[in-house]
Amino acid sequence: MPVYKFYYFPVRSLGEVVRQIFKLAEVDFEDVRIEDKNWPEFKDQTPFGQMPVLEVDGKPIPQSFAIARYIASQHGLAGKTPFEAAWVDAMADQWRDFRFEFRNYWYIFMGYWEGDAEAAKAKHAFSARDKFYPLIVNQLKENGSGFLVGDSATWIDLLISDQAVTINKELPGFLDAYPEVIAHAAKVRAIPQIAKWIETRPETR
């Protein structure tokens, strides 16, 4: 078994899906959380000057989705057929489109960017939500298993469910029009490996 070391900040954000993939696959990894004060020193050691980074037997892989796809494909969480794998990737790419627009509000709301949060919410948040989440609802209905692709959880279920829970916690009521999304998140979080991780992981945003 390879030795895995996963480097990210002490937050969930783009690192959480990778941590949950490891937990769902029941694969050991070292969860290395780089504090902000140590980031400038560590930055030059990363391939692209950013995190997350996964080391596999000392060899680095950058970029969150590349890491997620790599680990998921190694452990049966990236789709059971090439067709399913393509759909997992398609949903991930669609999530990227959502995030690109939604972050124009979210980063202000979370205090990472300066700006008028209410104006950004009106301009970006509702638009991004109402483009993306109907697609998720439709995919859940079309697939029919309670998961987004195939008949069991894939890494895209982990990504979208964790994000939905975070949004619902920080913005109560924001996803009320999409109860299927909330039900999907609850289903994913009830998977024993994920439920145990959520109970024991560090308390972060």
Side-chain angles (χ1 to χ4, degrees):
M1 178 68 71
V3 175
Y4 297 112
K5 294 181 71 173
F6 180 63
Y7 297 87
Y8 194 54
F9 297 106
V11 296
R12 296 199 305 276
S13 191
L14 294 176
E16 184 63 12
V17 65
V18 176
R19 295 174 182 135
Q20 289 194 18
I21 292 167
F22 276 121
K23 292 300 179 178
L24 183 55
E26 299 182 306
V27 172
D28 290 334
F29 75 107
E30 185 176 348
D31 187 8
V32 183
R33 299 182 179 228
I34 305 295
E35 299 287 344
D36 287 347
K37 64 181 180 181
N38 298 323
W39 169 233
E41 180 181 352
F42 184 71
K43 182 177 181 179
D44 289 342
Q45 302 175 40
T46 66
F48 294 161
Q50 60 190 39
M51 293 193 291
V53 171
L54 175 69
E55 282 187 359
V56 183
D57 290 335
K59 297 178 181 180
I61 300 173
Q63 288 287 358
S64 58
F65 276 19
I67 296 166
R69 289 182 174 116
Y70 174 77
I71 296 299
S73 66
Q74 295 294 306
H75 300 286
L77 299 173
K80 295 177 180 177
T81 67
F83 186 83
E84 287 187 5
W87 260 99
V88 171
D89 285 348
M91 297 299 295
D93 289 343
Q94 196 66 36
W95 180 86
R96 278 189 187 273
D97 290 347
F98 163 77
R99 179 177 178 271
F100 186 77
E101 181 176 1
F102 189 67
R103 70 177 182 172
N104 291 314
Y105 162 67
W106 187 249
Y107 281 13
I108 296 172
F109 172 76
M110 295 292 282
Y112 303 141
W113 291 355
E114 294 184 359
D116 184 332
E118 287 304 311
K121 186 176 185 180
K123 183 175 181 180
H124 299 290
F126 295 117
S127 173
R129 178 194 66 184
D130 295 337
K131 290 175 188 174
F132 180 64
Y133 284 105
L135 302 178
I136 299 302
V137 171
N138 185 66
Q139 181 64 18
L140 288 167
K141 290 178 178 178
E142 289 288 325
N143 193 46
S145 69
F147 298 106
L148 285 163
V149 179
D151 59 6
S152 59
T154 63
W155 72 270
I156 195 60
D157 292 292
L158 303 178
L159 176 72
I160 290 177
S161 64
D162 187 71
Q163 182 216 47
V165 169
T166 299
I167 290 174
N168 213 38
K169 179 180 178 180
E170 298 287 349
L171 303 173
F174 188 73
L175 296 179
D176 281 358
Y178 304 101
E180 298 91 344
V181 172
I182 303 304
H184 168 256
K187 181 179 179 69
V188 173
R189 288 164 70 86
I191 297 171
Q193 299 97 309
I194 300 303
K196 182 178 179 181
W197 167 242
I198 291 170
E199 289 175 3
T200 58
R201 70 187 177 188
E203 186 62 36
T204 61
R205 294 179 83 178

